[in-house]
Amino acid sequence: MKVKVIVMPKQSVLDPQGVAVRDAIHHHGMPEIKSVRIGKFMEIEIDDSQALAEEKLHEICRDLLSNPVIEDYQLEIKN
């Protein structure tokens, strides 16, 4: 089983890395780019015989892979 996790800064949180990338894009001649948000992508492979409950995967995302104070995550499970 494969699990995909996307972690992004919350919309209300300033993303200085995204601002720096947006500014670099502007310097490369694309001023129409309004904003950039930088996040993390993780792909996790789980042994099918050790299938984890979806609730446990959410716990791992919330407690280990993201900082719930400043980040949101999306979890996609593929069998």
Side-chain angles (χ1 to χ4, degrees):
M1 171 176 23
K2 285 196 178 182
V3 176
K4 295 181 180 183
V5 181
I6 300 171
V7 179
M8 295 293 294
K10 290 186 178 203
Q11 287 297 323
S12 61
V13 173
L14 178 65
D15 181 1
Q17 188 177 11
V19 170
V21 170
R22 183 205 60 204
D23 291 347
I25 291 171
H26 287 177
H27 290 297
H28 278 82
M30 294 186 68
E32 62 274 10
I33 302 298
K34 289 177 55 175
S35 69
V36 176
R37 305 287 287 169
I38 303 293
K40 300 177 277 189
F41 172 79
M42 290 151 270
E43 188 174 82
I44 302 167
E45 192 165 338
I46 300 170
D47 184 353
D48 286 338
S49 66
Q50 301 294 321
L52 295 175
E54 187 172 340
E55 180 180 313
K56 188 68 172 174
L57 290 169
H58 280 284
E59 180 182 322
I60 291 167
C61 290
R62 186 182 59 248
D63 297 343
L64 180 65
L65 302 178
S66 70
N67 178 344
V69 174
I70 60 169
E71 295 174 318
D72 290 322
Y73 72 87
Q74 294 177 346
L75 178 65
E76 180 183 324
I77 301 169
K78 290 189 175 188
N79 292 326

